[in-house]
Structure formats: structure tokens, C-alpha cells
């Protein structure tokens, strides 16, 4: 028997409140730093931002730092994902943020973004 906590272990109402809180905090953070949130999907454990513009990922990287991973999506396309978080809130917490973009394999990547790719 596993003792690992899953999403189903968190009551729906609590997940809903956490999702709303994360969404609000990321929106405030994005507005403060002038960051794009073209397709934001809030969850109880963080926020995912999907974009079609690599510059959006670069702006989040510049504002908050983080680490980028790349994965092959097939047919000459890769998914680049930045793992970062919002500024620290007064309660000491940060909201995890994933910013993902699809790019062609031969896309000329900005050096700042390439330097943040996990080894």
C-alpha cells in the first residue's frame, strides 16, 4: 500500500480554493513584471502557461530565473519548458509556474534561453 499523497486525497473544495489562489497570485505577479500569460491553466499545485512565442518564455526566465528542459515532440518539433515560480508572497510561499512553448528543431534559440537548459 502506497502512502504517497495524490490529487484525489485533497478534497475538491480545497483544490478549488488553492487553484483560485494560485491563479490570482500568478496574474498579480505577471502584471507587476509585465509578463505574458496567453494560455494560463491554474491547478492546486501551480500554474501552467502555454505559449506559441519563445520570447514569452524568455521574459519569464528574465524575471524569475529557473531551469529549462527540452523534450522531443516528434516531426521536427521540441517542447521547451521553463520551471520557475512567482515572487515570494508575504506568507513566504511562491507559486510554481511552468511556461511551455513548441519550437522547431532548427529554431535559432536566444543564448540566454539556451544557457538555462538543464544539463
Amino acid at each position: 500500500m502506497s502512502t504517497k499523497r495524490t490529487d484525489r486525497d485533497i478534497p475538491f473544495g480545497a483544490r478549488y480554493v488553492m487553484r483560485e489562489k494560485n491563479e490570482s497570485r500568478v496574474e498579480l505577479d505577471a502584471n507587476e513584471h509585465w509578463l505574458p500569460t496567453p494560455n494560463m491553466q491554474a491547478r492546486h499545485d501551480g500554474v501552467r502557461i502555454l505559449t506559441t512565442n519563445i520570447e514569452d518564455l524568455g521574459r519569464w526566465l528574465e524575471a524569475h530565473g529557473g531551469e529549462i528542459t527540452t523534450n522531443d515532440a516528434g516531426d521536427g518539433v521540441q517542447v521547451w519548458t521553463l520551471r520557475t515560480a512567482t515572487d515570494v508572497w508575504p506568507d513566504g510561499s511562491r507559486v510554481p509556474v511552468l511556461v511551455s512553448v513548441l519550437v522547431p528543431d532548427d529554431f535559432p534559440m536566444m543564448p540566454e534561453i539556451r544557457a538555462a537548459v538543464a544539463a
Side-chain angles (χ1 to χ4, degrees), residues 14-101:
R15 284 195 320 263
Y16 178 82
V17 169
M18 294 163 73
R19 183 184 65 77
E20 291 292 312
K21 181 178 170 182
N22 287 342
E23 183 175 38
S24 295
R25 287 184 170 187
V26 170
E27 284 177 350
L28 288 169
D29 186 84
N31 288 339
E32 182 178 325
H33 294 284
W34 295 80
L35 298 171
T37 57
N39 184 359
M40 184 169 66
Q41 300 170 345
R43 293 177 35 102
H44 69 281
D45 58 353
V47 171
R48 294 180 177 145
I49 297 171
L50 305 173
T51 181
T52 59
N53 187 342
I54 193 66
E55 291 179 9
D56 292 350
L57 185 142
R59 290 176 58 196
W60 277 90
L61 176 63
E62 183 179 359
H64 293 298
E67 185 176 89
I68 296 174
T69 56
T70 62
N71 291 295
D72 186 24
D75 294 329
V77 176
Q78 293 182 337
V79 179
W80 288 58
T81 301
L82 170 66
R83 295 179 189 290
T84 191
T86 61
D87 289 335
V88 178
W89 288 93
D91 66 2
S93 69
R94 297 177 78 187
V95 178
V97 178
L98 299 176
V99 182
S100 297
V101 63

